[in-house]
Amino acid sequence: MSRSALINIDTQQSFFQRDYWQEADFPAFQQAISALISGCQDLKIPVVDIFHVDDSGPFALESGYVKPMPFLQHRADVTFQKHVHNAFTDTGLDLWLRKGDINHLIICGLRTEQCCETTTRVAADLGYRVSFISEATLTFPMSWKGVTLDTQTLRHRTETVLAGRFAEIQTVAECLESLS
């Protein structure tokens, strides 16, 4: 039997302080992640909040920004702090999941192609079944060597590299239906 947990990655106020922050995709993200969290809580699926913490800047605990984005009203079952891109390294998450006999992870949060994707890859390598809910993830355009990838391209790229290898790509509705 499968036991699930929702892994909510880095939905913290620190991002509002970054120069790359954009509002364009934020309303849809808010709606999707709120529906996902609410649906999981209705189904008694534990919600795990993960916060990224750095030594300085807006991701430092002292900044006061390492706390949930204001629209989030849920109470997490457990919260972990991470210092790298994945939610497993030196956090205690894997131990907590295994003690709870949880073998299916639902991934949402920020940023799609960074912490969400990296956590998904590590989770799959650790033997978890993973549902990646890309509409409940958020990212921002990225540039390298004169080429800028917009958020839709980044999302598609992440879905492409994860699908069938590391995770099942689902919408919020598909995920909640599969859990019922």
Side-chain angles (χ1 to χ4, degrees):
M1 181 174 174
S2 182
R3 276 193 32 93
S4 303
L6 177 64
I7 310 300
N8 176 27
I9 301 170
D10 298 347
T11 53
Q12 62 196 73
Q13 293 182 29
S14 308
F15 281 100
F16 298 141
Q17 310 308 311
R18 290 294 200 198
D19 59 357
Y20 53 75
W21 176 261
Q22 294 182 1
E23 291 286 325
D25 297 329
F26 192 54
F29 166 73
Q30 287 180 82
Q31 183 177 2
I33 198 169
S34 294
L36 182 61
I37 290 170
S38 177
C40 284
Q41 288 182 317
D42 289 348
L43 294 167
K44 307 293 185 232
I45 292 170
V47 176
V48 179
D49 280 353
I50 307 290
F51 293 111
H52 188 91
V53 176
D54 284 337
D55 292 333
S56 61
F59 287 83
L61 292 173
E62 298 76 30
S63 73
Y65 298 123
V66 181
K67 58 186 175 185
M69 291 181 167
F71 74 91
L72 294 171
Q73 301 300 312
H74 70 282
R75 183 183 306 253
D77 291 83
V78 65
T79 300
F80 294 98
Q81 295 177 354
K82 66 181 186 61
H83 302 278
V84 295
H85 289 100
N86 80 81
F88 288 96
T89 301
D90 298 327
T91 63
L93 175 61
D94 187 48
L95 180 62
W96 184 86
L97 293 167
R98 295 195 190 279
K99 282 185 176 180
D101 200 29
I102 294 168
N103 58 6
H104 172 233
L105 307 184
I106 304 158
I107 305 292
C108 64
L110 274 74
R111 292 179 60 177
T112 308
E113 78 295 343
Q114 292 183 38
C115 297
C116 295
E117 180 181 327
T118 305
T119 296
T120 297
R121 288 171 179 267
V122 172
D125 284 352
L126 291 172
Y128 293 97
R129 183 170 69 88
V130 183
S131 296
F132 190 88
I133 317 305
S134 60
E135 72 177 329
T137 68
L138 182 67
T139 197
F140 311 97
M142 294 180 72
S143 297
W144 189 63
K145 290 191 173 185
V147 176
T148 298
L149 300 181
D150 63 28
T151 59
Q152 293 307 321
T153 302
L154 286 166
R155 179 173 282 121
H156 180 75
R157 180 230 155 257
T158 295
E159 291 173 348
T160 300
V161 299
L162 293 179
R165 295 165 195 83
F166 298 96
E168 179 179 358
I169 309 303
Q170 294 180 311
T171 65
V172 170
E174 290 167 342
C175 177
L176 295 176
E177 183 177 324
S178 74
L179 295 167
S180 298

